[in-house]
Protein backbone atom coordinates (compact mmCIF):
# COMPACT_ATOMS: atom_id res chain seq x y z
CA UNK A 1 0.00 0.00 0.00
CA UNK A 2 1.17 3.46 -0.84
CA UNK A 3 -0.47 6.48 0.72
CA UNK A 4 -1.00 7.72 -2.82
CA UNK A 5 -1.91 4.36 -4.27
CA UNK A 6 -5.09 2.64 -5.34
CA UNK A 7 -5.69 -0.99 -4.50
CA UNK A 8 -6.10 -3.19 -7.56
CA UNK A 9 -9.45 -4.61 -8.54
CA UNK A 10 -10.39 -7.12 -5.89
CA UNK A 11 -13.50 -8.67 -7.42
CA UNK A 12 -16.95 -9.39 -6.00
CA UNK A 13 -16.92 -11.50 -2.85
CA UNK A 14 -13.68 -10.07 -1.51
CA UNK A 15 -13.83 -8.67 2.03
CA UNK A 16 -13.07 -5.06 2.89
CA UNK A 17 -11.97 -4.03 6.37
CA UNK A 18 -12.78 -0.35 6.79
CA UNK A 19 -10.71 0.94 9.70
CA UNK A 20 -11.42 4.50 10.79
CA UNK A 21 -9.40 6.18 13.50
CA UNK A 22 -8.74 9.44 15.25
CA UNK A 23 -5.09 9.72 16.24
CA UNK A 24 -3.90 11.08 19.54
CA UNK A 25 -1.45 14.00 19.40
CA UNK A 26 2.22 13.33 18.62
CA UNK A 27 3.85 10.47 16.75
CA UNK A 28 4.97 8.30 19.68
CA UNK A 29 6.30 5.55 17.41
CA UNK A 30 3.15 5.39 15.34
CA UNK A 31 4.54 6.17 11.88
CA UNK A 32 7.23 3.51 12.01
CA UNK A 33 4.88 0.80 13.23
CA UNK A 34 2.22 1.79 10.71
CA UNK A 35 4.75 1.42 7.90
CA UNK A 36 5.86 -1.96 9.24
CA UNK A 37 2.26 -3.16 9.46
CA UNK A 38 1.59 -2.09 5.86
CA UNK A 39 4.63 -4.03 4.71
CA UNK A 40 3.72 -7.05 6.83
CA UNK A 41 0.07 -7.10 5.82
CA UNK A 42 1.08 -7.13 2.17
CA UNK A 43 3.02 -10.35 2.79
CA UNK A 44 0.05 -12.20 4.26
CA UNK A 45 -1.75 -14.95 2.39
CA UNK A 46 -5.06 -13.64 1.14
CA UNK A 47 -4.11 -9.95 1.20
CA UNK A 48 -5.50 -8.24 -1.91
CA UNK A 49 -4.59 -4.59 -1.40
CA UNK A 50 -5.18 -1.53 0.74
CA UNK A 51 -5.82 2.19 0.52
CA UNK A 52 -5.23 4.76 3.21
CA UNK A 53 -5.52 8.46 3.92
CA UNK A 54 -5.23 10.65 6.99
CA UNK A 55 -5.99 14.35 7.15
CA UNK A 56 -4.13 17.05 9.03
CA UNK A 57 -6.75 16.75 11.80
CA UNK A 58 -5.57 13.21 12.57
CA UNK A 59 -8.71 11.51 11.29
CA UNK A 60 -7.88 8.65 8.96
CA UNK A 61 -9.33 5.78 6.98
CA UNK A 62 -7.60 2.60 5.90
CA UNK A 63 -9.41 0.03 3.82
CA UNK A 64 -7.70 -3.32 3.40
CA UNK A 65 -9.01 -6.03 1.11
CA UNK A 66 -8.84 -9.74 1.83
CA UNK A 67 -9.71 -12.96 0.06
CA UNK A 68 -11.80 -14.41 2.88
CA UNK A 69 -12.55 -14.45 6.60
CA UNK A 70 -9.70 -16.86 7.30
CA UNK A 71 -7.21 -14.36 5.88
CA UNK A 72 -8.64 -11.55 8.00
CA UNK A 73 -8.53 -13.73 11.10
CA UNK A 74 -4.95 -14.83 10.50
CA UNK A 75 -3.83 -11.22 10.09
CA UNK A 76 -5.74 -10.06 13.16
CA UNK A 77 -4.01 -12.77 15.19
CA UNK A 78 -0.52 -12.24 13.78
CA UNK A 79 1.88 -11.66 16.67
CA UNK A 80 3.43 -8.41 15.46
CA UNK A 81 0.03 -7.12 14.52
CA UNK A 82 -1.40 -8.02 17.93
CA UNK A 83 1.33 -5.92 19.54
CA UNK A 84 0.57 -3.02 17.20
CA UNK A 85 -3.16 -3.31 17.92
CA UNK A 86 -2.49 -3.16 21.66
CA UNK A 87 -0.31 -0.07 21.27
CA UNK A 88 -2.97 1.46 19.05
CA UNK A 89 -5.65 1.02 21.67
CA UNK A 90 -3.40 2.18 24.49
CA UNK A 91 -1.59 5.11 22.90
CA UNK A 92 -2.18 5.94 19.23
CA UNK A 93 -5.92 6.04 18.74
CA UNK A 94 -8.26 8.30 20.63
CA UNK A 95 -11.06 6.34 19.01
CA UNK A 96 -11.45 3.84 16.20
CA UNK A 97 -14.07 1.86 14.39
CA UNK A 98 -13.81 -1.18 12.14
CA UNK A 99 -16.37 -2.44 9.68
CA UNK A 100 -16.07 -5.68 7.77
CA UNK A 101 -17.91 -5.64 4.46
CA UNK A 102 -18.25 -7.84 1.41
CA UNK A 103 -17.51 -6.27 -1.97
CA UNK A 104 -20.44 -6.43 -4.36
CA UNK A 105 -19.09 -4.41 -7.31
CA UNK A 106 -16.42 -1.89 -8.20
CA UNK A 107 -15.72 0.60 -10.94
CA UNK A 108 -13.38 3.47 -11.57
CA UNK A 109 -11.90 6.01 -13.88
CA UNK A 110 -9.88 3.30 -15.55
CA UNK A 111 -13.13 1.56 -16.54
CA UNK B 1 -20.23 14.04 7.85
CA UNK B 2 -17.41 15.87 9.56
CA UNK B 3 -13.83 15.40 8.46
CA UNK B 4 -13.08 14.49 12.06
CA UNK B 5 -16.22 12.49 12.66
CA UNK B 6 -17.13 8.86 12.84
CA UNK B 7 -20.27 7.56 11.21
CA UNK B 8 -22.70 6.01 13.66
CA UNK B 9 -23.27 2.27 13.81
CA UNK B 10 -24.98 1.30 10.59
CA UNK B 11 -25.82 -2.34 11.27
CA UNK B 12 -25.31 -5.50 9.23
CA UNK B 13 -26.84 -5.36 5.77
CA UNK B 14 -26.19 -1.65 5.26
CA UNK B 15 -24.28 -0.74 2.11
CA UNK B 16 -20.93 1.05 2.11
CA UNK B 17 -19.74 3.04 -0.89
CA UNK B 18 -15.96 3.28 -0.68
CA UNK B 19 -14.87 6.14 -2.92
CA UNK B 20 -11.12 6.56 -3.38
CA UNK B 21 -9.68 9.44 -5.33
CA UNK B 22 -6.50 11.23 -6.27
CA UNK B 23 -7.12 14.96 -6.61
CA UNK B 24 -5.67 17.11 -9.35
CA UNK B 25 -3.60 20.11 -8.25
CA UNK B 26 -5.38 23.25 -7.07
CA UNK B 27 -8.83 23.70 -5.59
CA UNK B 28 -10.74 24.85 -8.69
CA UNK B 29 -14.07 24.97 -6.84
CA UNK B 30 -13.65 21.51 -5.35
CA UNK B 31 -13.83 22.32 -1.63
CA UNK B 32 -17.09 24.26 -1.88
CA UNK B 33 -18.81 21.61 -3.99
CA UNK B 34 -17.52 18.82 -1.75
CA UNK B 35 -19.01 20.55 1.28
CA UNK B 36 -22.31 21.04 -0.52
CA UNK B 37 -22.40 17.38 -1.53
CA UNK B 38 -21.77 16.28 2.06
CA UNK B 39 -24.64 18.45 3.25
CA UNK B 40 -26.91 17.28 0.45
CA UNK B 41 -26.09 13.59 0.87
CA UNK B 42 -26.97 13.81 4.55
CA UNK B 43 -30.47 14.97 3.59
CA UNK B 44 -31.19 12.00 1.34
CA UNK B 45 -33.56 9.24 2.33
CA UNK B 46 -31.57 6.16 3.29
CA UNK B 47 -28.33 8.00 4.12
CA UNK B 48 -26.81 6.47 7.26
CA UNK B 49 -23.52 8.34 7.65
CA UNK B 50 -20.12 8.97 6.10
CA UNK B 51 -16.46 9.23 6.96
CA UNK B 52 -13.78 10.96 4.97
CA UNK B 53 -10.07 11.75 4.99
CA UNK B 54 -7.62 13.19 2.49
CA UNK B 55 -3.87 13.41 2.96
CA UNK B 56 -1.55 16.21 1.97
CA UNK B 57 -0.67 14.22 -1.17
CA UNK B 58 -4.24 14.62 -2.44
CA UNK B 59 -5.16 10.96 -2.02
CA UNK B 60 -8.47 10.58 -0.22
CA UNK B 61 -11.09 8.10 0.91
CA UNK B 62 -14.75 8.74 1.56
CA UNK B 63 -17.00 5.96 2.78
CA UNK B 64 -20.73 6.68 2.78
CA UNK B 65 -23.27 4.28 4.25
CA UNK B 66 -26.73 3.68 2.84
CA UNK B 67 -29.82 1.71 3.77
CA UNK B 68 -30.17 -0.06 0.43
CA UNK B 69 -29.41 -0.04 -3.29
CA UNK B 70 -32.38 2.21 -4.02
CA UNK B 71 -30.94 4.89 -1.77
CA UNK B 72 -27.53 4.67 -3.48
CA UNK B 73 -29.15 4.85 -6.91
CA UNK B 74 -31.29 7.85 -5.99
CA UNK B 75 -28.26 9.73 -4.70
CA UNK B 76 -26.15 8.82 -7.73
CA UNK B 77 -28.88 10.20 -9.99
CA UNK B 78 -29.59 13.36 -7.96
CA UNK B 79 -29.27 16.38 -10.29
CA UNK B 80 -26.80 18.39 -8.22
CA UNK B 81 -24.77 15.27 -7.56
CA UNK B 82 -24.70 14.39 -11.26
CA UNK B 83 -23.24 17.82 -11.98
CA UNK B 84 -20.62 17.35 -9.25
CA UNK B 85 -19.75 13.91 -10.58
CA UNK B 86 -19.22 15.33 -14.06
CA UNK B 87 -16.96 18.08 -12.72
CA UNK B 88 -15.10 15.50 -10.67
CA UNK B 89 -14.37 13.37 -13.70
CA UNK B 90 -13.47 16.37 -15.86
CA UNK B 91 -11.41 18.47 -13.45
CA UNK B 92 -11.06 17.39 -9.84
CA UNK B 93 -9.99 13.77 -9.92
CA UNK B 94 -6.91 12.48 -11.65
CA UNK B 95 -8.23 9.01 -10.90
CA UNK B 96 -10.92 7.48 -8.74
CA UNK B 97 -12.34 4.14 -7.79
CA UNK B 98 -15.62 3.17 -6.19
CA UNK B 99 -16.49 -0.06 -4.45
CA UNK B 100 -19.93 -0.95 -3.18
CA UNK B 101 -19.88 -3.37 -0.27
CA UNK B 102 -22.35 -4.85 2.19
CA UNK B 103 -21.59 -4.44 5.88
CA UNK B 104 -21.28 -7.75 7.71
CA UNK B 105 -20.20 -6.57 11.18
CA UNK B 106 -18.69 -3.60 12.96
CA UNK B 107 -16.95 -2.86 16.21
CA UNK B 108 -14.99 -0.04 17.76
CA UNK B 109 -13.34 1.52 20.73
CA UNK B 110 -16.73 2.43 22.11
CA UNK B 111 -17.61 -1.25 22.21
Amino acid sequence: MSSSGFAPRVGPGALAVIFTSQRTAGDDGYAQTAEEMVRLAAQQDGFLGAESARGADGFGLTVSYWRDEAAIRAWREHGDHLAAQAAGKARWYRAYRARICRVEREYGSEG
Side-chain angles (χ1 to χ4, degrees), chain A:
Chain A
M1 174 173 68
S2 155
S3 64
S4 61
F6 291 91
R9 277 181 178 275
V10 297
L15 289 166
V17 179
I18 304 171
F19 182 80
T20 313
S21 62
Q22 178 65 53
R23 284 274 287 111
T24 48
D27 182 68
D28 195 20
Y30 171 76
Q32 189 188 331
T33 300
E35 263 186 46
E36 286 169 10
M37 289 306 113
V38 166
R39 218 172 12 243
L40 195 58
Q43 294 167 9
Q44 303 307 303
D45 183 49
F47 175 86
L48 303 178
E51 298 169 335
S52 193
R54 189 175 300 280
D57 58 1
F59 191 79
L61 277 80
T62 295
V63 182
S64 58
Y65 293 96
W66 301 87
R67 185 185 56 214
D68 52 27
E69 288 282 358
I72 291 177
R73 193 166 46 244
W75 171 235
R76 196 174 52 225
E77 295 169 1
H78 186 293
D80 293 351
H81 190 208
L82 282 174
Q85 289 171 65
K89 289 178 193 182
R91 291 153 45 200
W92 294 323
Y93 298 127
R94 202 166 72 206
Y96 66 89
R97 187 162 290 285
R99 293 184 173 95
I100 294 83
C101 313
R102 192 168 298 274
V103 175
E104 301 209 333
R105 60 183 188 277
E106 59 195 318
Y107 60 91
S109 52
E110 302 96 52

PDB file of all heavy atoms in Angstrom, chain A residues 41-59:
ATOM      1  N   ALA A  41       1.385  -6.695   6.318  1.00  0.00           N
ATOM      2  CA  ALA A  41       0.065  -7.096   5.818  1.00  0.00           C
ATOM      3  C   ALA A  41       0.165  -7.557   4.365  1.00  0.00           C
ATOM      4  O   ALA A  41      -0.441  -8.564   3.972  1.00  0.00           O
ATOM      5  CB  ALA A  41      -0.929  -5.931   5.934  1.00  0.00           C
ATOM      6  N   ALA A  42       0.962  -6.822   3.599  1.00  0.00           N
ATOM      7  CA  ALA A  42       1.081  -7.133   2.167  1.00  0.00           C
ATOM      8  C   ALA A  42       1.713  -8.497   1.919  1.00  0.00           C
ATOM      9  O   ALA A  42       1.590  -9.051   0.822  1.00  0.00           O
ATOM     10  CB  ALA A  42       1.877  -6.039   1.459  1.00  0.00           C
ATOM     11  N   GLN A  43       2.383  -9.026   2.934  1.00  0.00           N
ATOM     12  CA  GLN A  43       3.021 -10.350   2.794  1.00  0.00           C
ATOM     13  C   GLN A  43       2.083 -11.489   3.191  1.00  0.00           C
ATOM     14  O   GLN A  43       2.433 -12.656   3.020  1.00  0.00           O
ATOM     15  CB  GLN A  43       4.273 -10.425   3.672  1.00  0.00           C
ATOM     16  CG  GLN A  43       5.389  -9.490   3.256  1.00  0.00           C
ATOM     17  CD  GLN A  43       6.473  -9.363   4.330  1.00  0.00           C
ATOM     18  OE1 GLN A  43       6.473 -10.097   5.321  1.00  0.00           O
ATOM     19  NE2 GLN A  43       7.384  -8.423   4.136  1.00  0.00           N
ATOM     20  N   GLN A  44       0.917 -11.150   3.741  1.00  0.00           N
ATOM     21  CA  GLN A  44       0.048 -12.204   4.259  1.00  0.00           C
ATOM     22  C   GLN A  44      -0.719 -12.896   3.138  1.00  0.00           C
ATOM     23  O   GLN A  44      -1.137 -12.275   2.165  1.00  0.00           O
ATOM     24  CB  GLN A  44      -0.956 -11.625   5.265  1.00  0.00           C
ATOM     25  CG  GLN A  44      -0.319 -10.892   6.429  1.00  0.00           C
ATOM     26  CD  GLN A  44       0.734 -11.721   7.155  1.00  0.00           C
ATOM     27  OE1 GLN A  44       0.454 -12.810   7.619  1.00  0.00           O
ATOM     28  NE2 GLN A  44       1.956 -11.201   7.206  1.00  0.00           N
ATOM     29  N   ASP A  45      -0.920 -14.179   3.314  1.00  0.00           N
ATOM     30  CA  ASP A  45      -1.748 -14.948   2.386  1.00  0.00           C
ATOM     31  C   ASP A  45      -3.168 -14.386   2.390  1.00  0.00           C
ATOM     32  O   ASP A  45      -3.744 -14.168   3.459  1.00  0.00           O
ATOM     33  CB  ASP A  45      -1.759 -16.418   2.821  1.00  0.00           C
ATOM     34  CG  ASP A  45      -2.549 -17.270   1.842  1.00  0.00           C
ATOM     35  OD1 ASP A  45      -2.305 -17.153   0.633  1.00  0.00           O
ATOM     36  OD2 ASP A  45      -3.411 -18.037   2.305  1.00  0.00           O
ATOM     37  N   GLY A  46      -3.693 -14.128   1.225  1.00  0.00           N
ATOM     38  CA  GLY A  46      -5.058 -13.640   1.135  1.00  0.00           C
ATOM     39  C   GLY A  46      -5.189 -12.127   1.141  1.00  0.00           C
ATOM     40  O   GLY A  46      -6.303 -11.606   1.029  1.00  0.00           O
ATOM     41  N   PHE A  47      -4.070 -11.420   1.279  1.00  0.00           N
ATOM     42  CA  PHE A  47      -4.109  -9.949   1.201  1.00  0.00           C
ATOM     43  C   PHE A  47      -4.279  -9.535  -0.256  1.00  0.00           C
ATOM     44  O   PHE A  47      -3.535 -10.004  -1.125  1.00  0.00           O
ATOM     45  CB  PHE A  47      -2.813  -9.369   1.768  1.00  0.00           C
ATOM     46  CG  PHE A  47      -2.691  -7.866   1.623  1.00  0.00           C
ATOM     47  CD1 PHE A  47      -3.242  -7.018   2.578  1.00  0.00           C
ATOM     48  CD2 PHE A  47      -2.026  -7.307   0.540  1.00  0.00           C
ATOM     49  CE1 PHE A  47      -3.121  -5.637   2.460  1.00  0.00           C
ATOM     50  CE2 PHE A  47      -1.902  -5.923   0.412  1.00  0.00           C
ATOM     51  CZ  PHE A  47      -2.449  -5.099   1.376  1.00  0.00           C
ATOM     52  N   LEU A  48      -5.232  -8.640  -0.529  1.00  0.00           N
ATOM     53  CA  LEU A  48      -5.501  -8.244  -1.912  1.00  0.00           C
ATOM     54  C   LEU A  48      -5.107  -6.803  -2.212  1.00  0.00           C
ATOM     55  O   LEU A  48      -4.976  -6.429  -3.377  1.00  0.00           O
ATOM     56  CB  LEU A  48      -6.992  -8.426  -2.220  1.00  0.00           C
ATOM     57  CG  LEU A  48      -7.566  -9.834  -2.014  1.00  0.00           C
ATOM     58  CD1 LEU A  48      -9.058  -9.836  -2.312  1.00  0.00           C
ATOM     59  CD2 LEU A  48      -6.835 -10.858  -2.870  1.00  0.00           C
ATOM     60  N   GLY A  49      -4.938  -5.987  -1.171  1.00  0.00           N
ATOM     61  CA  GLY A  49      -4.591  -4.590  -1.401  1.00  0.00           C
ATOM     62  C   GLY A  49      -5.120  -3.719  -0.282  1.00  0.00           C
ATOM     63  O   GLY A  49      -5.870  -4.189   0.585  1.00  0.00           O
ATOM     64  N   ALA A  50      -4.719  -2.456  -0.291  1.00  0.00           N
ATOM     65  CA  ALA A  50      -5.178  -1.530   0.742  1.00  0.00           C
ATOM     66  C   ALA A  50      -5.049  -0.108   0.244  1.00  0.00           C
ATOM     67  O   ALA A  50      -4.262   0.189  -0.654  1.00  0.00           O
ATOM     68  CB  ALA A  50      -4.383  -1.713   2.036  1.00  0.00           C
ATOM     69  N   GLU A  51      -5.854   0.757   0.832  1.00  0.00           N
ATOM     70  CA  GLU A  51      -5.824   2.189   0.521  1.00  0.00           C
ATOM     71  C   GLU A  51      -5.957   2.946   1.830  1.00  0.00           C
ATOM     72  O   GLU A  51      -6.680   2.513   2.721  1.00  0.00           O
ATOM     73  CB  GLU A  51      -6.984   2.565  -0.413  1.00  0.00           C
ATOM     74  CG  GLU A  51      -6.897   1.856  -1.756  1.00  0.00           C
ATOM     75  CD  GLU A  51      -8.164   1.988  -2.596  1.00  0.00           C
ATOM     76  OE1 GLU A  51      -9.241   2.197  -2.010  1.00  0.00           O
ATOM     77  OE2 GLU A  51      -8.064   1.860  -3.820  1.00  0.00           O
ATOM     78  N   SER A  52      -5.291   4.080   1.923  1.00  0.00           N
ATOM     79  CA  SER A  52      -5.231   4.758   3.207  1.00  0.00           C
ATOM     80  C   SER A  52      -5.074   6.262   3.029  1.00  0.00           C
ATOM     81  O   SER A  52      -4.402   6.717   2.107  1.00  0.00           O
ATOM     82  CB  SER A  52      -4.032   4.200   3.988  1.00  0.00           C
ATOM     83  OG  SER A  52      -4.080   4.585   5.330  1.00  0.00           O
ATOM     84  N   ALA A  53      -5.714   7.011   3.901  1.00  0.00           N
ATOM     85  CA  ALA A  53      -5.521   8.464   3.915  1.00  0.00           C
ATOM     86  C   ALA A  53      -5.769   8.972   5.319  1.00  0.00           C
ATOM     87  O   ALA A  53      -6.606   8.435   6.049  1.00  0.00           O
ATOM     88  CB  ALA A  53      -6.478   9.148   2.938  1.00  0.00           C
ATOM     89  N   ARG A  54      -5.005   9.997   5.698  1.00  0.00           N
ATOM     90  CA  ARG A  54      -5.231  10.652   6.989  1.00  0.00           C
ATOM     91  C   ARG A  54      -5.076  12.151   6.793  1.00  0.00           C
ATOM     92  O   ARG A  54      -4.125  12.601   6.159  1.00  0.00           O
ATOM     93  CB  ARG A  54      -4.252  10.136   8.046  1.00  0.00           C
ATOM     94  CG  ARG A  54      -4.581  10.631   9.475  1.00  0.00           C
ATOM     95  CD  ARG A  54      -3.671  10.003  10.542  1.00  0.00           C
ATOM     96  NE  ARG A  54      -3.756   8.558  10.586  1.00  0.00           N
ATOM     97  CZ  ARG A  54      -4.727   7.864  11.183  1.00  0.00           C
ATOM     98  NH1 ARG A  54      -5.705   8.492  11.791  1.00  0.00           N
ATOM     99  NH2 ARG A  54      -4.706   6.545  11.155  1.00  0.00           N
ATOM    100  N   GLY A  55      -6.032  12.904   7.292  1.00  0.00           N
ATOM    101  CA  GLY A  55      -5.986  14.352   7.155  1.00  0.00           C
ATOM    102  C   GLY A  55      -5.150  15.002   8.239  1.00  0.00           C
ATOM    103  O   GLY A  55      -4.717  14.351   9.196  1.00  0.00           O
ATOM    104  N   ALA A  56      -4.943  16.294   8.083  1.00  0.00           N
ATOM    105  CA  ALA A  56      -4.132  17.049   9.033  1.00  0.00           C
ATOM    106  C   ALA A  56      -4.755  17.046  10.428  1.00  0.00           C
ATOM    107  O   ALA A  56      -4.065  17.259  11.426  1.00  0.00           O
ATOM    108  CB  ALA A  56      -3.954  18.477   8.535  1.00  0.00           C
ATOM    109  N   ASP A  57      -6.059  16.782  10.510  1.00  0.00           N
ATOM    110  CA  ASP A  57      -6.749  16.750  11.799  1.00  0.00           C
ATOM    111  C   ASP A  57      -6.581  15.422  12.534  1.00  0.00           C
ATOM    112  O   ASP A  57      -7.132  15.238  13.617  1.00  0.00           O
ATOM    113  CB  ASP A  57      -8.244  17.064  11.619  1.00  0.00           C
ATOM    114  CG  ASP A  57      -8.914  16.077  10.652  1.00  0.00           C
ATOM    115  OD1 ASP A  57      -8.226  15.164  10.159  1.00  0.00           O
ATOM    116  OD2 ASP A  57     -10.121  16.225  10.398  1.00  0.00           O
ATOM    117  N   GLY A  58      -5.829  14.480  11.906  1.00  0.00           N
ATOM    118  CA  GLY A  58      -5.570  13.212  12.575  1.00  0.00           C
ATOM    119  C   GLY A  58      -6.637  12.156  12.363  1.00  0.00           C
ATOM    120  O   GLY A  58      -6.535  11.043  12.893  1.00  0.00           O
ATOM    121  N   PHE A  59      -7.656  12.485  11.579  1.00  0.00           N
ATOM    122  CA  PHE A  59      -8.711  11.515  11.291  1.00  0.00           C
ATOM    123  C   PHE A  59      -8.336  10.757  10.028  1.00  0.00           C
ATOM    124  O   PHE A  59      -8.027  11.368   9.002  1.00  0.00           O
ATOM    125  CB  PHE A  59     -10.056  12.234  11.105  1.00  0.00           C
ATOM    126  CG  PHE A  59     -11.238  11.305  11.064  1.00  0.00           C
ATOM    127  CD1 PHE A  59     -11.761  10.779  12.226  1.00  0.00           C
ATOM    128  CD2 PHE A  59     -11.812  10.951   9.853  1.00  0.00           C
ATOM    129  CE1 PHE A  59     -12.851   9.918  12.195  1.00  0.00           C
ATOM    130  CE2 PHE A  59     -12.909  10.093   9.812  1.00  0.00           C
ATOM    131  CZ  PHE A  59     -13.424   9.571  10.986  1.00  0.00           C
TER     132      PHE A  59
END
